[in-house]
Amino acid sequence: MNINDFKGRSFLKLLDFSSEEILFLLNLSQELKSKKQNGIPHRMCEGKNIALVFEKTSTRTRCAFEVAAADLGMHPVYLDPSGSQIGKKESIADTARVLGRMFDGIEYRGFGQEIVEKLAEYAGVPVWNGLTNEYHPTQILADFLTILEHFGGLRGKKLVYMGDARYNMGNSLMVGCAKMGMHFVACAPKAYFPAEELIHTCQAIAEETGATLEFCEDPMVATKDADVIYTDVWVSMGEPESVWKERIEALSPYSVTKKIMENAGPQCRFMHCLPAFHDLDTTIGKEIYEKFGIGHMEVSDEVFESEQSIVFDEAENRMHTIKAVMAATL
């Protein structure tokens, strides 16, 4: 396998890629990260232009794409939620055909997976999924690169996802772990497990790769001997404020605390795709404290700021893995 095997392909979800292809992208990420750290130029995509379509804003995703593009010699054009008529005054197919004639690649971050799939169908250039409601594949590459750096491998490592596992992060981590022969545990109330159809798809993959998939409601059982405990915000961008009460009541037992980390053991590392509500230093954090009297949500500040926390390694790796995806597909 070589980099030319990826040329012209879109990166929409990990289900579209084999274990070998995912590992190739991780190895390429490590190579490009080393070059960046050692000041070695790697302008592999000199003169190309890419469109960054953001219907949902993001600090890490935008910065990762823009810096990675600049390092590769490309010019990124950012279209914020008010900068594109996609799906409003112009159909997704029409937007794709316009952007595809002006740009060499298109990133989309927004709502339904069907939007990024349709962009890829009509654009005629590679399309990259920066996040949809269902999947977040560039985040998983960054997560797996981080695990590789800290543990030396992926196969057999136990990753416990705590919280609401029904959406993009729970789905994508389950898919990724199945593909890479890992031990995935969704730890949540039963109503917050991933969809049955996707579970069945991942179980079929796991039979081929040797992965293990578990679904557990008891945090102390789920986290025993975990290598990684992973969580995310309880209310996703775009969801109404009215769901906060329901999520806090349902998910408070799944907050990652010192007790949970001690139960896992000293080898365990904490991961979070960020932003995290671990203290009262945000507007939303203060509002939640005033309404519900809790000082943290999905993770305690004690865990977030501990030596076991590798969230900022993970955040940096968004740039290196996104760079690898763009370099390979362009």
Side-chain angles (χ1 to χ4, degrees):
M1 180 177 295
N2 61 62
I3 197 168
N4 291 324
D5 294 330
F6 295 84
K7 188 171 183 180
R9 294 176 65 180
S10 290
F11 190 75
L12 308 179
K13 57 186 183 297
L14 291 183
L15 286 170
D16 300 333
F17 291 81
S18 69
S19 305
E20 292 74 21
E21 288 171 331
I22 294 169
L23 187 58
F24 181 91
L25 291 172
L26 292 171
N27 289 336
L28 179 59
S29 302
Q30 290 177 312
E31 178 186 331
L32 295 175
K33 181 174 182 176
S34 177
K35 287 183 176 180
K36 173 124 178 134
Q37 291 176 333
N38 289 288
I40 301 171
H42 44 284
R43 298 174 71 84
M44 302 163 65
C45 302
E46 189 75 57
K48 294 187 182 293
N49 299 285
I50 61 169
L52 307 179
V53 181
F54 278 63
E55 291 197 289
K56 289 184 179 179
T57 58
S58 168
T59 301
R60 277 152 300 282
T61 302
R62 178 181 177 179
C63 292
F65 269 98
E66 291 198 356
V67 174
D71 285 351
L72 291 170
M74 295 193 290
H75 174 61
V77 174
Y78 175 71
L79 299 171
D80 68 14
S82 65
S84 165
Q85 297 300 330
I86 184 169
K88 303 181 189 88
K89 292 183 179 179
E90 186 169 49
S91 71
I92 296 161
D94 289 355
T95 299
R97 286 178 285 191
V98 169
L99 295 179
R101 288 180 178 228
M102 296 183 181
F103 295 95
D104 299 288
I106 302 166
E107 180 271 353
Y108 172 81
R109 178 183 171 91
F111 298 95
Q113 180 71 13
E114 70 277 3
I115 298 174
V116 77
E117 298 277 353
K118 182 155 280 193
L119 281 172
E121 179 183 353
Y122 286 93
V125 298
V127 173
W128 311 297
N129 181 357
L131 174 142
T132 62
N133 293 340
E134 294 85 356
Y135 296 108
H136 199 358
T138 58
Q139 178 66 55
I140 306 310
L141 283 186
D143 298 337
F144 284 2
L145 177 58
T146 309
I147 294 170
L148 273 172
E149 290 173 341
H150 284 268
F151 291 95
L154 296 174
R155 182 166 295 278
K157 292 292 177 283
K158 181 177 179 179
L159 185 150
V160 181
Y161 181 81
M162 297 188 65
D164 193 342
R166 298 173 295 177
Y167 300 117
N168 46 40
M169 286 309 304
N171 290 345
S172 295
L173 284 166
M174 179 171 67
V175 170
C177 288
K179 288 275 185 179
M180 303 312 292
M182 297 172 67
H183 181 179
F184 172 80
V185 184
C187 181
K190 191 171 183 180
Y192 289 76
F193 288 167
E196 283 294 326
E197 183 179 358
L198 185 60
I199 289 174
H200 293 321
T201 298
C202 289
Q203 285 174 332
I205 295 169
E207 288 177 8
E208 297 179 0
T209 64
T212 303
L213 306 181
E214 289 187 74
F215 305 90
C216 180
E217 294 185 75
D218 186 332
M220 299 304 283
V221 172
T223 58
K224 187 67 176 173
D225 299 322
D227 295 296
V228 174
I229 293 178
Y230 198 120
T231 191
D232 190 11
V233 293
W234 290 341
V235 176
S236 298
M237 189 182 301
E239 291 190 280
E241 279 190 33
S242 57
V243 302
W244 273 112
K245 185 175 186 296
E246 168 215 320
R247 299 285 169 80
I248 289 170
E249 289 176 353
L251 297 176
S252 288
Y254 301 90
S255 180
V256 183
T257 61
K258 184 179 180 182
K259 180 181 178 181
I260 291 290
M261 296 298 294
E262 288 176 342
N263 183 64
Q267 80 292 337
C268 187
R269 296 294 177 264
F270 171 73
M271 297 180 72
H272 193 305
C273 52
L274 303 182
F277 295 117
H278 58 96
D279 55 24
L280 302 181
D281 291 341
T282 63
T283 301
I284 292 176
K286 290 174 183 174
E287 289 176 355
I288 294 301
Y289 175 74
E290 290 168 2
K291 289 180 182 178
F292 302 102
I294 56 175
H296 71 267
M297 282 176 268
E298 72 276 7
V299 58
S300 70
D301 193 56
E302 186 176 24
V303 170
F304 187 88
E305 297 292 354
S306 72
E307 291 185 0
Q308 289 177 285
S309 175
I310 54 175
V311 298
F312 296 110
D313 293 345
E314 183 185 0
E316 179 195 338
N317 282 337
R318 293 296 308 285
M319 174 180 63
H320 305 299
T321 48
I322 282 170
K323 186 185 294 182
V325 169
M326 293 196 295
T329 56
L330 291 177

